[in-house]
Amino acid sequence: MQNAVNERLKATIMRLAQVSEAEESVSVNSTAALPSVEAIRHIVSLVKDIVFPGFFDKRQTVGDIRTCYIGMNIEKLGSLLQAQIARGLAFDTQVGEETMTARAAELTLAFIERLTYIKEMLYSDVDAMVHNDPAVKSCGEVIFCYPMVQAMIHHRVAHELLTMGVPIIPRIISEQAHSQTGIDIHPGARIGDHFCIDHGTGIVIGETCIIGSHVMLYQGVTLGAKSFTRGDDGMLLNVPRHPIIEDNVTIYSNTSVLGRITIGHDTVIGGNVWLTHSVPPHSVILQQKAVNSSFTDGAGI
Amino acid sequence: MQNAVNERLKATIMRLAQVSEAEESVSVNSTAALPSVEAIRHIVSLVKDIVFPGFFDKRQTVGDIRTCYIGMNIEKLGSLLQAQIARGLAFDTQVGEETMTARAAELTLAFIERLTYIKEMLYSDVDAMVHNDPAVKSCGEVIFCYPMVQAMIHHRVAHELLTMGVPIIPRIISEQAHSQTGIDIHPGARIGDHFCIDHGTGIVIGETCIIGSHVMLYQGVTLGAKSFTRGDDGMLLNVPRHPIIEDNVTIYSNTSVLGRITIGHDTVIGGNVWLTHSVPPHSVILQQKAVNSSFTDGAGI
Amino acid sequence: MQNAVNERLKATIMRLAQVSEAEESVSVNSTAALPSVEAIRHIVSLVKDIVFPGFFDKRQTVGDIRTCYIGMNIEKLGSLLQAQIARGLAFDTQVGEETMTARAAELTLAFIERLTYIKEMLYSDVDAMVHNDPAVKSCGEVIFCYPMVQAMIHHRVAHELLTMGVPIIPRIISEQAHSQTGIDIHPGARIGDHFCIDHGTGIVIGETCIIGSHVMLYQGVTLGAKSFTRGDDGMLLNVPRHPIIEDNVTIYSNTSVLGRITIGHDTVIGGNVWLTHSVPPHSVILQQKAVNSSFTDGAGI
Amino acid sequence: MQNAVNERLKATIMRLAQVSEAEESVSVNSTAALPSVEAIRHIVSLVKDIVFPGFFDKRQTVGDIRTCYIGMNIEKLGSLLQAQIARGLAFDTQVGEETMTARAAELTLAFIERLTYIKEMLYSDVDAMVHNDPAVKSCGEVIFCYPMVQAMIHHRVAHELLTMGVPIIPRIISEQAHSQTGIDIHPGARIGDHFCIDHGTGIVIGETCIIGSHVMLYQGVTLGAKSFTRGDDGMLLNVPRHPIIEDNVTIYSNTSVLGRITIGHDTVIGGNVWLTHSVPPHSVILQQKAVNSSFTDGAGI
Amino acid sequence: MQNAVNERLKATIMRLAQVSEAEESVSVNSTAALPSVEAIRHIVSLVKDIVFPGFFDKRQTVGDIRTCYIGMNIEKLGSLLQAQIARGLAFDTQVGEETMTARAAELTLAFIERLTYIKEMLYSDVDAMVHNDPAVKSCGEVIFCYPMVQAMIHHRVAHELLTMGVPIIPRIISEQAHSQTGIDIHPGARIGDHFCIDHGTGIVIGETCIIGSHVMLYQGVTLGAKSFTRGDDGMLLNVPRHPIIEDNVTIYSNTSVLGRITIGHDTVIGGNVWLTHSVPPHSVILQQKAVNSSFTDGAGI
Amino acid sequence: MQNAVNERLKATIMRLAQVSEAEESVSVNSTAALPSVEAIRHIVSLVKDIVFPGFFDKRQTVGDIRTCYIGMNIEKLGSLLQAQIARGLAFDTQVGEETMTARAAELTLAFIERLTYIKEMLYSDVDAMVHNDPAVKSCGEVIFCYPMVQAMIHHRVAHELLTMGVPIIPRIISEQAHSQTGIDIHPGARIGDHFCIDHGTGIVIGETCIIGSHVMLYQGVTLGAKSFTRGDDGMLLNVPRHPIIEDNVTIYSNTSVLGRITIGHDTVIGGNVWLTHSVPPHSVILQQKAVNSSFTDGAGI
């Protein structure tokens, strides 16, 4: 009987060992190392420590030591990032990781120089949160506890890398934030200063979104695509298909805003709305009022 | 004073050490080991490595080595799974884990034989995603980054185990995907090929759902129950109570579809809809248009 | 050329080493240790082991050993909690952690004495779940697998600590549940017995919510604030601004209930509703019926 | 060329996959799990915590909590030890681990009852060390720092288990001490109270040694066998072949004492001696005096 | 029967929970935290990274980054060391760890200032090794592989701390080297520059040893005490009792040199010698020649 | 005052940041990655699993799975080893790791082909131990517990690599065994089949030793160099300087055999002997008999 079991096992192994047709089309370049998700996690965590020194890595960071601290973290960031960018480039082009070294070094340096900009934007986001949530007790609480801070560190880093042409890694970075916070921002989205997300679970911001300053989103808001354009070959085209949100817009929970439409500045959109057309500035958009019938039996609704 | 503290501590310990009435009814069989969540995580991760060799475990998997690789992973999977199934059976029946060994061995072998089917289905899901999201840059990106892939590996494994009658473990597997991706699919749900989830956070698919081929769900979609049927003893009955979704249906973000209704094939349901009745094929269902009042003061909505 | 690279690196380090204006206002007290998120995670996990002995830590817990087990866990909990409370107090007042020792000891003891109450409430929540979900196979399954149990352990612990005046830690505890389950309950919310959350992803319950007994919430429900009140200085006031939910209320998926309104007892609110006004007891609130147009072309909606 | 490499690899794999003749004779029972070295390490560490509460596991252990602490550790020790003893028995007899459960339970309980004796002996060893080393600053320093304490905890535990007939595990325990301290005491050796080892590296104490009270050994001392007795079949016989050391004997560094000889009580043996015959009580044994030639050239000795 | 087992377990727990007389005299101050062996391991490892940058922590350490690197490591070292010294002081005096803070800060700073001296001495040791072992291929090999380097880093750090009056910690440091290398150097020993140990297992260097420059020891050498002096109360006195080794002395394997004797400079002592009297400079000391009898039968020696 | 502290810290940092003269001569090639001690540990552990399948990694290794198991381990071994050899070559020549890839691949393949030889030798060592130690209960016990097995796996691997010209790595491998077992065998030593080490702590075997078949060494035995030959430049020459041990020789504990001498076959050398001249076959060498004076007073020896 044990023999019969072994035969069945062996047959399954053989079937699975065959490279199926479907598999062939998706298989990775077998000699290239894929980017390391752990290293990428480490990279984002170093950016956190550089931007908010003393918060997440509990070390003294005053005076000369502060400079040493930031210097060391940048050196470490640079070394990790360069290796991962080289792998990312190899993932894209299917050439070896080594030949990508020089390009990776350039991109890494360029990214490091963008850190002052990233830092400035993140502090503006924290500032906005402090001014928008009465439950906030201190700025430190926002930095230390709010999922928005995690999500925006990941996004602002991923967006810079995507803009520089780094493949795959931005997407890994944004998925790490997505898994941790439930906030899914495509690295391609352009987001202005003083951006604010409260709670955030279920938020989706699409690849071609353009978001102004002082925009506030609540949990469950989707800034998505309504429909897709196909090329002559029937394949989907990657064209602008997500909303433009102007300055000073607030969107309440679970609302879906879809398609390349424009939400005019100083607008408020209530929750649970399905919105697929542009609205002028200073609008207030609300779902039609719900119906209230008296309760009749235990079967409910 | 220290004495007073000790007295209060001791009193609390004594109160908590008593087995309360509520506790009695829920207590586990004290001699049975519960399934190990770490082992179950490992099992699903081995299925990932078997189905997508080279992606998550970064080892060479070409030629003869590919067969060795898959053979070893199946052997390891089998040994881990058999132990956990034995525990799961013991959890259910309150008899010892050892007496379940033979049954567990059978079920494990049956599961392993289903891996080729699981693999086929998962590649069809990846294929669907590639054809439905213009943001996709490569098939590898989907496998490596998209939460849908995590969710569907977990679901397709959990569903097979549930179908074979394995207790508790399918539920643990689906909760692991839920925690990681925000996608909550009950292991009982029957889901066809080329299934597609974009973003996914907040999706709920109930136990008795039946979903056809080429169905696409966006984040926040609920395929749930509207009301429950109670038996003569007043207890809830586990009867079909979730929707049937036919082929080629797309449902946009945050929509709730509830009850044992049927959504006809080739239908599109817009976002933020509350739907509790069946719709015929080729339907387009949309929320009533939102109201736009001009913005008047800072108090907002 | 390497020199040029070094110069650019050095310049970036120097720019980042400067304490920016924005940074100055948010910087933590440099001599105080922040609370440890790992220790806090451990604390909540000990409460789990004390309340549900034998489920998560797989040890024998019968007879005399049960008392030892609970005694040891309470001792460990006490020692970890006291240290973290001292840090939390220091975070708030910017005085050293040591001077907070006596106050922390008092609060810790008070918390431990509340554990019997917390336990009672949690068992009532489990009981409610068992009676509300036909998919439940056993009480043990709820405790072991349902995200609601995680969320409510975190909430009931965090709420007690907040009520005692412990700073920052309750918020860290609730964010840990949020990240893991997608359920975001502010520690300030007051929640009655037999509380039930199904699936839960995307649920938000605001700081000043008051929730009665036997309330059931589905995924994506928001109990939030509609607008904020500002003081004479223009700063937001932390006033009651979230709903009051009376006994025996059920709210379906993705509905938003906003503002200091009252949902009368024995009410059912359907999914995807935007509700900003009070409703009387025994109400049934539903979204206006969606529009069904026949499907015309591939462009969809 | 890659083909040639693959061929060579494959040939090596095939050669190694064959079960060689030598291998056949030593192969373990393939269905039995070997004892876990990690679990055994944990078991000894629990004995340490039970015998020296508060030293190695830094928890409060006063008053009622002390009892809880020891109770929990004994419960944990019992559960770990029973499982390992069952494996050890299976290792020996080549029957399944499960059938050994009852015997393992008995032995475990018997071992636990010996813990008070083990504790008493270990405190006598610590006491002896304090009275024999002028470098000792406090008793705590001996317990916390001296390798002798590690070695003797391992030995006294291993010896009890061996005496009860537990296979293989005693040997694993003694090798763990050997690797950590360089002190190699066979679990079979019988060692009296107030036993003292200073420094200890290189000490070897053979299986059939019998050592009295108040014996002191320095580093590098061997109490070994001189020659072996073979049976009629030519195989080595496991007969008494190591020295008997009576009370109050001190042996200095690197001395070798070999064979079933007796070292009379109140004897001192100097260092670097090769001793293969018995000596009467009150002896002083010294190496013959070294030769001192004046130094002549750089070639040295 | 289970009852009988429980009774026996309970009885054992109760016996062990009693504080025995022997235990009373050695028990630690129950409110003081003992030094952390992990933290101490980390401290020594930081000294290694500071003294040999680039060898053990594989980071770029050139130019400005080298200064940052050393600065950060010194900051981290300082913070860890100060905490452990405070605990060490509390271990000694049985007063709380907090009251020791100022003293600990002073000692930490003083230690950090000694690092340049420690570094100089360690490089002289490496240099000596390179000139004494023909098997050495490069200086890097010595630093990276030779146990002597580990042993001497530990010793030179431990000796500085002991000299400053830090309790217990020096001993923990030296035991960590002992366990790892088999080389046991008491922190009190005074050792000159260009000190060399080859292989090293079993070497013991006592507390009051004084060793000159350019001394070379082989494995198994003991520089120990021969006998002890007792005070009027019968307790051992901690007086000079170990050898003085002058410059340019080489001692071969396993030799024991005991008592407060002086080995004159430029002396060679062969292996396996027992030496308890002083020898003049330029001596060559050898064991008496061994006896060679022809081999007669299989019983051996 | 804080300022003064900072000044002192800064001064120390600056002094340590300077590259001292001694440091300059030993500094590693700053762009080369040093071999990873963790990877090397993993490599040796894979050899263990390949040679003794089922012992250390507790997996089923029968039938076809055995081949898969060995295949996978060889693939993993190959990939790890190639990377480390490339680093080792770079360590030696100070050229980049990448340029060493082809050479590393060749050496790795050559090493893998030597595994069958290594396996054969190791089984002969185990066999010898079983026939030489009456305390052995089973072959499995030797493989699982005896430090000799660890030491010889490391040595036989290290020796092959050294013979192939791989730099630094053989030394790291032998030091790992040294630290774990106290047995220090230079990778250069040539050791025949059926080699046996009992206990082993303190054994040293020098680089140019040649050891025949069926040789047995006890703890503390040194096969070392007596003196060194210097070249015209005064530097040490790496010439044959360690003993040749012919077949069937047994050497007892702590004996030192030094210089390029020959110990004839079928010889027994007793313990604690200092031997610097060749001995003919069939010799029995013993230390001169120790002196026994009667014990007179408490001052001891």
Side-chain angles (χ1 to χ4, degrees), chain C residues 229-237:
Chain C
T229 314
R230 289 178 190 275
D232 296 343
D233 61 353
M235 294 304 290
L236 292 170
L237 295 179

Side-chain angles (χ1 to χ4, degrees), chain A residues 137-138, chain C residues 29 32 35 85-95 100 165-168:
Chain A
K137 301 287 176 292
S138 73
Chain C
N29 175 358
I85 289 180
R87 288 189 181 188
L89 294 170
F91 181 86
D92 202 36
T93 62
Q94 314 284 311
V95 304
M100 293 306 177
V166 176
I168 198 77

Side-chain angles (χ1 to χ4, degrees), chain D residues 17 178 226 254 256 272 282, chain F residues 66 199 201 252 272 287 295:
Chain D
H178 185 195
K226 195 182 71 173
N254 298 330
S256 307
N272 299 86
H282 296 285
Chain F
R66 182 177 156 105
H199 314 295
T201 314
Y252 280 81
N272 300 86
Q287 193 194 44
F295 196 93

Side-chain angles (χ1 to χ4, degrees), chain C residues 142-162:
Chain C
V142 173
I143 296 172
F144 201 52
C145 301
Y146 274 54
M148 178 193 82
V149 173
Q150 292 296 330
M152 290 312 294
I153 291 171
H154 280 78
H155 176 67
R156 297 207 182 274
V157 167
H159 182 66
E160 289 301 322
L161 291 171
L162 188 91

Side-chain angles (χ1 to χ4, degrees), chain E:
Chain E
M1 197 195 80
Q2 188 60 28
N3 270 3
V5 168
N6 283 343
E7 282 315 304
R8 286 165 66 189
L9 268 178
K10 200 168 172 177
T12 299
I13 292 170
M14 285 309 156
R15 267 199 306 278
L16 288 165
Q18 284 178 326
V19 180
S20 70
E21 216 175 300
E23 201 175 347
E24 214 147 68
S25 68
V26 304
S27 72
V28 285
N29 175 357
S30 70
T31 61
L34 290 173
S36 153
V37 292
E38 292 75 26
I40 290 174
R41 216 182 292 279
H42 196 175
I43 285 164
V44 178
S45 149
L46 284 165
V47 172
K48 262 169 57 173
D49 288 335
I50 291 165
V51 169
F52 300 111
F55 269 90
F56 300 98
D57 184 354
K58 287 150 202 157
R59 294 180 58 172
Q60 287 291 1
T61 50
V62 292
D64 295 324
I65 291 298
R66 182 177 156 105
T67 310
C68 284
Y69 179 81
I70 287 170
M72 280 318 291
N73 278 341
I74 283 182
E75 186 272 334
K76 196 165 201 172
L77 169 68
S79 123
L80 286 170
L81 184 57
Q82 183 172 332
Q84 295 309 310
I85 289 180
R87 289 190 180 186
L89 294 170
F91 181 86
D92 202 36
T93 63
Q94 314 285 310
V95 303
E97 182 181 339
E98 304 86 54
T99 67
M100 294 306 180
T101 305
R103 180 88 187 107
E106 266 175 58
L107 291 171
T108 300
L109 186 56
F111 174 79
I112 286 171
E113 292 187 321
R114 291 293 281 172
L115 282 172
T116 40
Y117 170 76
I118 290 174
K119 178 176 174 179
E120 202 179 301
M121 295 300 277
L122 287 168
Y123 274 90
S124 83
D125 299 338
V126 169
D127 183 62
M129 196 74 221
V130 172
H131 287 85
N132 279 318
D133 183 358
V136 170
K137 302 286 176 296
S138 73
C139 300
E141 187 188 355
V142 173
I143 296 173
F144 201 52
C145 302
Y146 275 53
M148 177 193 84
V149 173
Q150 292 296 329
M152 290 312 293
I153 290 171
H154 281 77
H155 176 66
R156 297 208 182 274
V157 167
H159 182 67
E160 288 301 322
L161 292 171
L162 188 91
T163 305
M164 289 170 187
V166 175
I168 198 79
I169 292 171
R171 190 62 196 245
I172 295 172
I173 291 174
S174 67
E175 273 309 324
Q176 289 176 345
H178 184 195
S179 174
Q180 193 184 346
T181 65
I183 300 169
D184 184 1
I185 310 180
H186 193 286
R190 284 158 54 192
I191 301 182
D193 57 280
H194 292 85
F195 183 65
C196 224
I197 287 175
D198 206 3
H199 314 294
T201 313
I203 281 181
V204 172
I205 301 179
E207 185 181 15
T208 63
C209 271
I210 300 170
I211 298 178
S213 298
H214 290 279
V215 168
M216 170 82 169
L217 304 185
Y218 284 93
Q219 61 276 11
V221 165
T222 293
L223 306 180
K226 195 181 71 174
S227 59
F228 305 128
T229 316
R230 289 178 189 275
D232 296 342
D233 59 353
M235 293 304 291
L236 293 170
L237 295 180
N238 189 352
V239 295
R241 62 196 179 283
H242 301 100
I244 296 166
I245 311 292
E246 294 184 352
D247 297 351
N248 301 311
V249 169
T250 295
I251 308 180
Y252 280 82
S253 49
N254 298 331
T255 279
S256 307
V257 183
L258 265 62
R260 183 90 239 190
I261 62 177
T262 298
I263 306 301
H265 56 81
D266 297 286
T267 285
V268 171
I269 305 178
N272 299 86
V273 167
W274 164 256
L275 188 60
T276 57
H277 58 273
S278 293
V279 300
H282 295 285
S283 298
V284 174
I285 310 286
L286 296 179
Q287 193 195 45
Q288 294 219 12
K289 200 162 176 255
V291 178
N292 186 354
S293 55
S294 66
F295 196 93
T296 50
D297 70 354
I301 52 181

